[in-house]
Amino acid sequence: MTYILAIDQGTTSSRAILFDGDMKIREVAQQEFPQHFPSSGWVEHDPEDIWGTVLSTCRDVISKALLNPSDVVAIGITNQRETTLVWDRETGEPIHRAIVWQDRRTAGICEELRAAGHEEEVTAKTGLLLDPYFSGTKLKWLLDNVDGARERAEAGELLFGTVDCYLIWKLTGGKVHATDATNASRTLLYNIHSGGWSRMMCELLNIPVAMLPEVRDCAADYGETDPEIFGESIPILGVAGDQQAATIGQACFEAGMMKSTYGTGCFALLNTGDTAVTSRNRLLTTIAYQFGGKPTYAIEGSIFIAGAVVQWLRDGLKIIDAAPESQALAETADPSQQVIVVPAFTGLGAPYWEPECRGAIFGLTRNSGPAEIARAALESVGFQTRDLLEAMRADWPNASEAGVLRVDGGMTANDWAMQFLSDIIGAPVDRPEILETTALGAAWLAGMEAGLYPDRAGFAETWARERRFEPALDDARRDERYEAWKRAVQAAISA
Ligand code: ADP
């Protein structure tokens, strides 16, 4: 038997997942690592922790499955996106801790660029917004603030990379400095239309082009692991950022197909095929995947608080002991009450973009209790998804054809929430048998490139539905509920 090793390097933990020749999970290892918050709004990871946990989880799954490293035919990598690293080309020594995607320290740089009128051209080139979220301003901050960094970068001594790129560099013993098109498309430095680093963006942010990695397809030769690492060299053949890997793992390969991942937050991606749709609703244009040098685009929208609202029921309100209990509690809610929770705990993302807005509860009566609040909390995830879909439809009329929403992530275990989601978007919601779509996407890329797994069409056929949720709410009621949500959001914004 031969295997594919998927590395899923996430924000709070690293995981290694071993898939067999039939794309079934054989073994999983996971390790959390520390988060560093050196200042308000700053979030950092130690590169040694990222690398150390990846290495030990990979070694772990191989030994737990009692395999020889030679049984692993290829490695696929998926990763937390946008997180920014800079290291020395010769010694491999990072010049600073990694600046994590959540880090807001470059808000001022973004604000200055916006005030100088640059946002439109930035969006036109990169598909993104001037927001600290993306790598470009984080890289600029490192070059401007770490002693001697700019001089060293200009002398060609330093390399930049997102997490995938850093892992490839470490795994290949410093031989390969490359990233894939999906990760590149999140840097704010990449021209998603022409498919190369943008000279304009590099000049705007004062980034030496020589420190940027080579950009390759998602399924491509990324070199072989240094034989010292696993005792054998293993080729790295697949790379995609986490949300793109989930889109691939959900086999959303046709224009109009859409996936939504419900973890702590929620990320929805709509495949728009060859067309890079520029959003008028402040959604992002991104590369969904790239094969044979040809990018396929997506519109991406995110919700900050999805599963996190269930964590709030548990840890904040303490009305449940564990996330799954939210379902039973919501089921007992009084159907005549119309409680609405707007979970704007950290502001509102797409399509409102109201960073100062805070959460609110509407429609309370003397009879409102934990059940009504739990139900409203679960409903808020459906309402916010509908907001994203409305924005996507406004940006790309073909999106209205998009029939079905494929879902994954921890919160999709909640049948009640998935039924409400289907009711309120008025479309079927499909939950797949394999919920590990991110790792599956990375594994499939590598396995397909290795010739072990089927091609795109064949893989799409293997996608299997565990359950479909069909909308059961009539149109008038659906519109009424959604209108009430929109009024509640406006009230929260103006409060
Ligand atoms: P992440 O990758 O962001 O850590 P996961 O995909 O592991 O997230 O999903 C965890 C989230 O899903 C948590 O926020 C949790 O509250 C929520 N969750 C897990 N199970 C359920 C459930 N049965 N009902 C509602 N929410 C759930």
Side-chain angles (χ1 to χ4, degrees), residues 12 262-265 306-308 310-311 314 323-324 326-327 378 409-411 413-414:
T12 57
Y262 296 91
T264 311
V310 180
Q311 293 167 358
R314 187 192 60 195
S326 59
Q327 168 155 351
L378 295 180
M411 199 184 172
N414 192 306

Side-chain angles (χ1 to χ4, degrees), residues 8 10-13 30 101 242-243 261-267 306-315 320 322-327 378 381 408-418 435 438:
D8 180 358
T11 308
T12 57
S13 71
Q30 176 161 4
W101 58 274
D242 53 12
Q243 297 309 320
T261 299
Y262 296 91
T264 311
C266 155
F267 290 87
V309 77
V310 180
Q311 293 167 358
W312 171 69
L313 298 177
R314 187 192 60 195
D315 307 333
I320 53 172
E325 290 172 23
S326 59
Q327 168 155 351
L378 295 180
V381 177
D408 51 67
M411 199 184 172
T412 60
N414 192 306
D415 291 348
W416 195 94
M418 293 302 104
L435 283 170
T438 308

Side-chain angles (χ1 to χ4, degrees), residues 144-167:
D144 289 343
N145 289 278
V146 175
D147 256 1
R150 183 163 296 286
E151 293 71 31
R152 290 170 69 195
E154 273 160 10
E157 292 170 20
L158 300 183
L159 300 177
F160 154 79
T162 43
V163 169
D164 57 306
C165 176
Y166 180 66
L167 292 177

Side-chain angles (χ1 to χ4, degrees), residues 75 91 115 122 127 132 141 156 178 220 240 277 285 304-305 386-387 398 461 463 466-467 475 485 487:
I75 291 175
T91 66
V122 170
W141 186 93
V277 176
T285 314
F304 301 145
I305 305 292
R386 167 108 184 237
D387 287 338
N398 302 14
E461 278 173 27
W463 184 92
E466 179 260 329
R467 179 160 171 193
D475 290 351
W485 160 258
R487 283 196 303 277

Side-chain angles (χ1 to χ4, degrees), residues 85 91 111 147 188 195 208 291 293 336 358 374 489 492:
L85 294 112
T91 66
E111 195 41 58
D147 256 1
L188 207 69
F291 298 121
S336 71
R358 289 296 173 266
V489 170

